[in-house]
Structure formats: structure tokens, C-alpha cells
Amino acid sequence: MNQPLRIAPSLLSADFARLGEEVSAVIAAGADLIHFDVMDNHYVPNLTIGPMVCQAIAPYCRRGDTPVPIDVHLMVKPVDALIPLFAQAGASIISFHPEASEHIDRTIQLIRSFGVKAGLVLNPATPLHVLDHVLEQLDLALLMSVNPGFGGQSFIESVLPKITAVRRRIQATGRDIWLEVDGGVNAKNIARVVAAGADTLVAGSAVFSGGDYPKAIAALRINAQATARAPATEALAESP
Ligand code: DX5
Ligand code: ZN
């Protein structure tokens, strides 16, 4: 397998009192995307950050002259009213859960109308058939490997065959649709997640909890690349 690999640190595990510095630090450490978790205490039992915070961190989301995309994961219901606000706040990708939209196709069109990439998020128990008539319109399929709402949960192993099934569906479209996995990804299991077909990996606690961001991101990348050469190999490098 020679697929690209993108590491997306989740700000949910960052120090919220120093978000700009945290964004700069993970970008300097090698982050490919900044994953921005939005929770509403309604669709999920937690409350986090909104478009004003997205706008505040946007100037920090660059490596030199190159923008680093903000990957907005909306865990809010209803979802449509927030999409224009996040598009104006600098989001490059906006993903939403099908359970949070009355009209999934319309919500995808709304996201794309702002020139923003659109993603659909499947919870561990959400069946794949929600992708049936919309996959070709998506830029990203996001598979949750924990139930949404909190960082630091354990990876749900039954998601691995689901990743492979979605990878096959993406290949059948012939389009470059990213396959992102979110929840409990770490240096020990990233090998299996990438071998299953993921190309974009969200990592919250695995990046932020040890304090050494370059070491943590390097451990994720090294282990994932080792997998590409030898899919059965277990993790080689430990996160700090
Ligand atoms: C969970 C969030 C995830 C989470 C990932 O609802 O969508 O992005 O923060 O954190 P870890 O990597 O710690 O599971
Ligand atoms: Zn997320």
C-alpha cells in the first residue's frame, strides 16, 4: 500500500488557555491538518468551541507561507446554521454526522457552496449505507473509532473491518476521497488502522498528553510507514 498519510492533531487535548501557541507547536512538530472538535451538549454530551475560536486560531494555521487546513468536525444538531459561520471562520474541511442533518445531500451541497471540502462522519454503530448515494460528492469519509464526545477513549477494534469496507467503496468511485479515522488512535495501533485503509489519522491524547509533540508525531508516522512495508508488524516506536 502506498497511500499518503496525514496526521491531524485534535485540539480537544490541547491547552485551551494557549490555543494559538499549541496550534503553532503541533504544526512545527509536523501536523498535516488541525482537527477542530465542535460539541454542543445536545448531539453529544460535551460542550467545546465554536466559530469564533476557529477564526481566532486561523492565523496560526500555517507553515511559513503555506496554510495548514483546519479540519472542522461538527458534533452538533441541527448542523446547517453553523456551516456558513465555520466557512467564514477559515475552515478548509467541514464534516458532520448524518444523524444531525434532516437532509444529508443538502448539507453536503451547503458546505461545498462555500468552496469548503465536505465530510460525512460515521459513528461506530452507524451503518455504511448512509454513504450509498452521497459518497461521490464527498471529499472525506470520517469513521469514528470511539463514540463521539470525549478525548482519551479507547479505540473500538470492530471499526477496523469497517475501515477496509469504506476503502473499497472509495476505490470503486475512482475519486480521491480521504478516509479519516478519529478516536483512540495511538503509536501502538496506528499500524493496524493504516493497514486497514485509513490515510488521515486524528490523534488527540496521543499527540498532546506526553508534551513532546515532535516525538509523538514522529512515532505515529514511523509506525504507520513501517506498516506500509510490513502490514503485520506491530508498533515499532512508542509515543512519549
Ligand atoms: C471525539 C473527538 C476526537 C477526539 C480524539 O469525539 O471527535 O477527535 O478528540 O481524541 P483521542 O485521540 O484522544 O481519542
Ligand atoms: Zn473529532
Side-chain angles (χ1 to χ4, degrees):
M1 208 178 310
N2 198 15
Q3 64 203 27
L5 181 79
R6 288 169 284 262
I7 303 292
S10 164
L11 294 185
L12 193 58
S13 296
D15 179 350
F16 275 30
R18 303 170 37 250
L19 266 191
E21 288 169 43
E22 292 277 71
V23 168
S24 297
V26 287
I27 289 173
D32 299 294
L33 307 168
I34 296 296
H35 188 79
F36 192 95
D37 285 309
V38 183
M39 305 185 186
D40 67 348
N41 188 38
H42 173 69
Y43 179 66
V44 291
N46 201 353
L47 185 64
T48 58
I49 43 181
M52 291 170 72
V53 176
C54 184
Q55 188 165 17
I57 64 148
Y60 296 86
C61 292
R62 42 197 330 112
R63 181 178 285 110
D65 290 337
T66 309
V68 173
I70 305 177
D71 173 30
V72 173
H73 175 191
L74 294 180
M75 289 160 274
V76 302
K77 181 181 182 175
V79 66
D80 286 5
L82 283 175
I83 287 168
L85 300 182
F86 275 102
Q88 286 153 16
S92 300
I93 305 164
I94 298 178
S95 299
F96 67 99
H97 290 248
E99 303 86 352
S101 170
E102 293 292 341
H103 305 286
I104 295 169
D105 182 274
R106 177 178 285 152
T107 302
I108 294 169
Q109 288 183 40
L110 179 62
I111 295 169
R112 298 191 69 148
S113 74
F114 293 100
V116 172
K117 292 185 163 69
L120 194 64
V121 193
L122 278 63
N123 287 329
T126 303
L128 293 188
H129 68 68
V130 299
L131 294 171
D132 277 356
H133 307 288
V134 295
L135 182 57
E136 299 228 351
Q137 302 174 53
L138 295 174
D139 299 287
L140 174 88
L142 201 175
L143 293 186
M144 294 305 299
S145 40
V146 297
N147 289 294
F150 302 95
Q153 302 180 75
S154 297
F155 185 87
I156 296 174
E157 295 286 330
S158 60
V159 173
L160 285 170
K162 199 172 177 186
I163 298 168
T164 304
V166 174
R167 170 58 63 193
R168 285 202 195 100
R169 285 185 179 221
I170 289 173
Q171 278 167 345
T173 70
R175 294 195 53 233
D176 179 23
I177 300 166
W178 295 4
L179 177 44
E180 184 170 41
V181 173
D182 183 5
V185 174
N186 57 41
K188 288 187 176 156
N189 61 25
I190 193 168
R192 290 179 294 127
V193 181
V194 170
D199 55 33
T200 306
L201 291 309
V202 177
S205 41
V207 169
F208 286 98
S209 65
D212 187 338
Y213 306 160
K215 186 176 175 190
I217 292 176
L220 291 167
R221 228 183 266 289
I222 288 165
N223 285 3
Q225 284 169 354
T227 308
R229 291 194 298 273
T233 308
E234 255 307 317
L236 300 179
E238 296 285 333
S239 61

Short mmCIF file of all heavy atoms in Angstrom, two decimals, residues 8-13 35-39 44 73 75 97 121 142 144-155 181-186 202-207, ligand 1:
data_model
loop_
_atom_site.label_atom_id
_atom_site.label_comp_id
_atom_site.label_asym_id
_atom_site.label_seq_id
_atom_site.Cartn_x
_atom_site.Cartn_y
_atom_site.Cartn_z
N ALA A 8 -3.54 14.43 11.95
CA ALA A 8 -4.40 15.57 12.31
C ALA A 8 -4.54 15.64 13.83
O ALA A 8 -5.44 15.02 14.41
CB ALA A 8 -5.77 15.41 11.65
N PRO A 9 -3.65 16.37 14.52
CA PRO A 9 -3.81 16.51 15.97
C PRO A 9 -5.14 17.16 16.32
O PRO A 9 -5.54 18.15 15.68
CB PRO A 9 -2.63 17.41 16.37
CG PRO A 9 -1.61 17.20 15.29
CD PRO A 9 -2.42 17.01 14.03
N SER A 10 -5.84 16.59 17.31
CA SER A 10 -7.12 17.14 17.76
C SER A 10 -6.88 18.13 18.88
O SER A 10 -6.33 17.78 19.93
CB SER A 10 -8.03 16.02 18.25
OG SER A 10 -9.08 16.59 19.01
N LEU A 11 -7.36 19.37 18.67
CA LEU A 11 -7.16 20.41 19.69
C LEU A 11 -7.92 20.13 20.97
O LEU A 11 -7.70 20.79 21.98
CB LEU A 11 -7.58 21.78 19.13
CG LEU A 11 -6.74 22.32 17.98
CD1 LEU A 11 -7.23 23.73 17.62
CD2 LEU A 11 -5.26 22.34 18.32
N LEU A 12 -8.81 19.13 20.94
CA LEU A 12 -9.56 18.79 22.15
C LEU A 12 -8.63 18.47 23.32
O LEU A 12 -8.97 18.71 24.48
CB LEU A 12 -10.45 17.58 21.85
CG LEU A 12 -11.54 17.23 22.84
CD1 LEU A 12 -12.49 18.40 23.04
CD2 LEU A 12 -12.33 16.01 22.34
N SER A 13 -7.44 17.95 23.01
CA SER A 13 -6.49 17.60 24.08
C SER A 13 -5.43 18.68 24.29
O SER A 13 -4.51 18.48 25.08
CB SER A 13 -5.80 16.27 23.75
OG SER A 13 -6.75 15.23 23.71
N HIS A 35 -7.23 19.36 13.60
CA HIS A 35 -8.58 18.80 13.81
C HIS A 35 -9.27 19.60 14.92
O HIS A 35 -8.76 19.72 16.03
CB HIS A 35 -8.47 17.33 14.18
CG HIS A 35 -9.78 16.61 14.23
ND1 HIS A 35 -10.44 16.18 13.10
CD2 HIS A 35 -10.56 16.24 15.27
CE1 HIS A 35 -11.56 15.57 13.45
NE2 HIS A 35 -11.67 15.61 14.76
N PHE A 36 -10.48 20.10 14.61
CA PHE A 36 -11.18 21.08 15.46
C PHE A 36 -12.54 20.48 15.83
O PHE A 36 -13.47 20.44 15.01
CB PHE A 36 -11.32 22.38 14.64
CG PHE A 36 -11.76 23.59 15.40
CD1 PHE A 36 -10.84 24.49 15.89
CD2 PHE A 36 -13.11 23.85 15.60
CE1 PHE A 36 -11.25 25.64 16.57
CE2 PHE A 36 -13.53 24.98 16.29
CZ PHE A 36 -12.60 25.88 16.77
N ASP A 37 -12.66 19.99 17.07
CA ASP A 37 -13.86 19.27 17.51
C ASP A 37 -14.88 20.22 18.11
O ASP A 37 -14.62 20.88 19.11
CB ASP A 37 -13.47 18.23 18.57
CG ASP A 37 -12.78 17.02 17.96
OD1 ASP A 37 -13.33 16.45 17.00
OD2 ASP A 37 -11.70 16.65 18.44
N VAL A 38 -16.06 20.24 17.51
CA VAL A 38 -17.14 21.14 17.94
C VAL A 38 -18.26 20.30 18.54
O VAL A 38 -18.86 19.46 17.85
CB VAL A 38 -17.67 21.96 16.74
CG1 VAL A 38 -18.73 22.96 17.21
CG2 VAL A 38 -16.53 22.66 16.02
N MET A 39 -18.54 20.52 19.83
CA MET A 39 -19.55 19.72 20.54
C MET A 39 -20.57 20.67 21.17
O MET A 39 -20.22 21.73 21.66
CB MET A 39 -18.89 18.88 21.63
CG MET A 39 -17.77 17.99 21.11
SD MET A 39 -17.14 16.94 22.41
CE MET A 39 -15.75 16.16 21.57
N VAL A 44 -23.94 15.49 21.33
CA VAL A 44 -23.00 14.75 22.20
C VAL A 44 -23.01 15.39 23.59
O VAL A 44 -23.31 16.58 23.71
CB VAL A 44 -21.56 14.76 21.64
CG1 VAL A 44 -21.44 13.93 20.38
CG2 VAL A 44 -21.07 16.18 21.39
N HIS A 73 -14.75 19.24 12.72
CA HIS A 73 -15.60 18.07 12.98
C HIS A 73 -16.79 18.54 13.81
O HIS A 73 -16.65 18.78 15.01
CB HIS A 73 -14.76 17.01 13.72
CG HIS A 73 -15.54 15.81 14.14
ND1 HIS A 73 -15.03 14.86 15.01
CD2 HIS A 73 -16.79 15.38 13.82
CE1 HIS A 73 -15.94 13.91 15.20
NE2 HIS A 73 -17.02 14.21 14.50
N MET A 75 -19.97 18.09 15.80
CA MET A 75 -20.82 17.17 16.57
C MET A 75 -21.94 18.01 17.16
O MET A 75 -22.02 18.24 18.37
CB MET A 75 -19.98 16.47 17.65
CG MET A 75 -19.00 15.46 17.06
SD MET A 75 -17.64 15.03 18.18
CE MET A 75 -16.49 16.35 17.78
N HIS A 97 -22.27 14.70 11.10
CA HIS A 97 -22.84 13.37 11.32
C HIS A 97 -24.21 13.30 10.64
O HIS A 97 -25.01 14.24 10.78
CB HIS A 97 -23.00 13.10 12.82
CG HIS A 97 -21.68 12.90 13.52
ND1 HIS A 97 -21.31 11.69 14.05
CD2 HIS A 97 -20.66 13.75 13.76
CE1 HIS A 97 -20.10 11.81 14.61
NE2 HIS A 97 -19.70 13.05 14.45
N VAL A 121 -19.46 11.85 8.71
CA VAL A 121 -18.86 11.13 9.83
C VAL A 121 -19.76 9.99 10.25
O VAL A 121 -20.96 10.19 10.51
CB VAL A 121 -18.67 12.06 11.06
CG1 VAL A 121 -17.76 11.38 12.09
CG2 VAL A 121 -18.12 13.40 10.66
N LEU A 142 -15.25 10.12 7.30
CA LEU A 142 -14.61 10.08 8.62
C LEU A 142 -15.26 8.96 9.44
O LEU A 142 -16.47 9.00 9.68
CB LEU A 142 -14.78 11.44 9.31
CG LEU A 142 -13.82 11.82 10.45
CD1 LEU A 142 -14.08 13.24 10.89
CD2 LEU A 142 -13.88 10.91 11.63
N MET A 144 -15.60 7.20 12.98
CA MET A 144 -15.31 7.31 14.41
C MET A 144 -14.90 5.94 14.93
O MET A 144 -15.59 4.94 14.69
CB MET A 144 -16.55 7.79 15.17
CG MET A 144 -17.00 9.20 14.88
SD MET A 144 -15.75 10.46 15.11
CE MET A 144 -15.36 10.28 16.86
N SER A 145 -13.80 5.92 15.69
CA SER A 145 -13.37 4.68 16.32
C SER A 145 -13.54 4.76 17.84
O SER A 145 -13.03 3.93 18.58
CB SER A 145 -11.93 4.34 15.93
OG SER A 145 -11.13 5.50 15.90
N VAL A 146 -14.28 5.80 18.28
CA VAL A 146 -14.84 5.88 19.64
C VAL A 146 -16.22 6.50 19.46
O VAL A 146 -16.52 7.05 18.39
CB VAL A 146 -14.01 6.79 20.59
CG1 VAL A 146 -12.60 6.24 20.79
CG2 VAL A 146 -13.96 8.23 20.09
N ASN A 147 -17.05 6.43 20.49
CA ASN A 147 -18.30 7.19 20.43
C ASN A 147 -17.99 8.65 20.71
O ASN A 147 -17.22 8.97 21.62
CB ASN A 147 -19.31 6.61 21.42
CG ASN A 147 -19.82 5.26 20.95
OD1 ASN A 147 -20.49 5.17 19.92
ND2 ASN A 147 -19.45 4.20 21.65
N PRO A 148 -18.54 9.57 19.88
CA PRO A 148 -18.09 10.96 19.95
C PRO A 148 -18.50 11.63 21.26
O PRO A 148 -19.51 11.30 21.86
CB PRO A 148 -18.81 11.61 18.76
CG PRO A 148 -20.00 10.75 18.50
CD PRO A 148 -19.59 9.36 18.87
N GLY A 149 -17.67 12.58 21.68
CA GLY A 149 -17.99 13.36 22.88
C GLY A 149 -16.80 13.64 23.77
O GLY A 149 -16.80 14.64 24.47
N PHE A 150 -15.80 12.77 23.74
CA PHE A 150 -14.67 12.93 24.67
C PHE A 150 -13.37 12.47 24.03
O PHE A 150 -13.39 11.51 23.23
CB PHE A 150 -14.92 12.12 25.95
CG PHE A 150 -16.19 12.50 26.65
CD1 PHE A 150 -17.36 11.79 26.41
CD2 PHE A 150 -16.22 13.59 27.51
CE1 PHE A 150 -18.55 12.16 27.02
CE2 PHE A 150 -17.42 13.97 28.12
CZ PHE A 150 -18.58 13.25 27.89
N GLY A 151 -12.28 13.12 24.40
CA GLY A 151 -10.96 12.64 24.03
C GLY A 151 -10.52 11.55 25.00
O GLY A 151 -11.15 11.32 26.03
N GLY A 152 -9.46 10.87 24.64
CA GLY A 152 -8.83 9.92 25.56
C GLY A 152 -9.55 8.60 25.74
O GLY A 152 -9.24 7.85 26.67
N GLN A 153 -10.49 8.26 24.85
CA GLN A 153 -11.18 6.97 24.96
C GLN A 153 -10.38 5.88 24.22
O GLN A 153 -9.49 6.17 23.42
CB GLN A 153 -12.57 7.05 24.34
CG GLN A 153 -13.48 8.12 24.96
CD GLN A 153 -14.85 8.14 24.28
OE1 GLN A 153 -15.69 7.28 24.51
NE2 GLN A 153 -15.07 9.13 23.43
N SER A 154 -10.76 4.62 24.47
CA SER A 154 -10.05 3.50 23.83
C SER A 154 -10.60 3.22 22.44
O SER A 154 -11.82 3.25 22.22
CB SER A 154 -10.20 2.23 24.67
OG SER A 154 -9.58 2.43 25.91
N PHE A 155 -9.72 2.90 21.53
CA PHE A 155 -10.04 2.54 20.15
C PHE A 155 -10.97 1.32 20.13
O PHE A 155 -10.72 0.32 20.81
CB PHE A 155 -8.74 2.22 19.42
CG PHE A 155 -8.91 1.94 17.96
CD1 PHE A 155 -8.91 2.97 17.04
CD2 PHE A 155 -9.04 0.63 17.51
CE1 PHE A 155 -9.05 2.70 15.68
CE2 PHE A 155 -9.18 0.36 16.16
CZ PHE A 155 -9.19 1.39 15.24
N VAL A 181 -9.79 8.51 10.26
CA VAL A 181 -10.23 7.74 11.42
C VAL A 181 -9.95 8.57 12.67
O VAL A 181 -8.89 9.19 12.80
CB VAL A 181 -9.52 6.37 11.47
CG1 VAL A 181 -9.83 5.63 12.78
CG2 VAL A 181 -9.94 5.52 10.27
N ASP A 182 -10.93 8.60 13.57
CA ASP A 182 -10.90 9.53 14.71
C ASP A 182 -11.31 8.81 15.99
O ASP A 182 -12.45 8.34 16.10
CB ASP A 182 -11.88 10.68 14.41
CG ASP A 182 -11.90 11.76 15.48
OD1 ASP A 182 -11.10 11.69 16.43
OD2 ASP A 182 -12.74 12.67 15.36
N GLY A 183 -10.37 8.78 16.94
CA GLY A 183 -10.70 8.27 18.27
C GLY A 183 -9.79 7.13 18.71
O GLY A 183 -9.80 6.06 18.11
N GLY A 184 -8.99 7.40 19.72
CA GLY A 184 -8.17 6.35 20.32
C GLY A 184 -7.01 5.88 19.46
O GLY A 184 -6.42 4.84 19.74
N VAL A 185 -6.65 6.67 18.43
CA VAL A 185 -5.51 6.28 17.59
C VAL A 185 -4.22 6.64 18.33
O VAL A 185 -4.08 7.75 18.86
CB VAL A 185 -5.57 6.99 16.21
CG1 VAL A 185 -4.31 6.69 15.40
CG2 VAL A 185 -6.83 6.57 15.45
N ASN A 186 -3.27 5.73 18.36
CA ASN A 186 -2.00 5.99 19.04
C ASN A 186 -0.86 5.24 18.33
O ASN A 186 -1.10 4.55 17.33
CB ASN A 186 -2.10 5.60 20.53
CG ASN A 186 -2.49 4.15 20.72
OD1 ASN A 186 -2.01 3.28 20.00
ND2 ASN A 186 -3.37 3.88 21.68
N VAL A 202 -6.65 11.13 13.02
CA VAL A 202 -6.81 12.11 14.09
C VAL A 202 -6.11 11.54 15.33
O VAL A 202 -6.22 10.34 15.61
CB VAL A 202 -8.30 12.35 14.41
CG1 VAL A 202 -8.45 13.31 15.59
CG2 VAL A 202 -9.01 12.91 13.18
N ALA A 203 -5.39 12.39 16.04
CA ALA A 203 -4.76 11.95 17.29
C ALA A 203 -4.79 13.11 18.27
O ALA A 203 -4.19 14.16 18.01
CB ALA A 203 -3.32 11.50 17.04
N GLY A 204 -5.54 12.93 19.36
CA GLY A 204 -5.64 13.96 20.38
C GLY A 204 -4.68 13.68 21.51
O GLY A 204 -3.58 14.23 21.58
N SER A 205 -5.07 12.76 22.39
CA SER A 205 -4.22 12.48 23.54
C SER A 205 -2.86 11.91 23.13
O SER A 205 -1.85 12.19 23.78
CB SER A 205 -4.93 11.55 24.52
OG SER A 205 -5.62 10.54 23.85
N ALA A 206 -2.80 11.16 22.03
CA ALA A 206 -1.52 10.57 21.61
C ALA A 206 -0.50 11.65 21.24
O ALA A 206 0.70 11.43 21.38
CB ALA A 206 -1.73 9.63 20.42
N VAL A 207 -0.97 12.82 20.80
CA VAL A 207 -0.04 13.90 20.46
C VAL A 207 0.21 14.80 21.67
O VAL A 207 1.35 15.13 22.00
CB VAL A 207 -0.57 14.75 19.28
CG1 VAL A 207 0.25 16.03 19.10
CG2 VAL A 207 -0.56 13.92 18.00
C1 DX5 B 1 -14.12 12.61 19.94
C2 DX5 B 1 -13.37 13.56 19.03
C3 DX5 B 1 -11.97 13.14 18.72
C4 DX5 B 1 -11.09 13.05 19.94
C5 DX5 B 1 -9.83 12.33 19.61
O1 DX5 B 1 -15.47 12.94 19.95
O2 DX5 B 1 -14.05 13.68 17.79
O3 DX5 B 1 -11.40 13.99 17.76
O4 DX5 B 1 -10.75 14.30 20.43
O5 DX5 B 1 -9.08 12.26 20.79
P1 DX5 B 1 -8.24 10.96 21.14
O6 DX5 B 1 -7.22 10.82 20.04
O7 DX5 B 1 -7.66 11.27 22.46
O8 DX5 B 1 -9.20 9.81 21.15
#
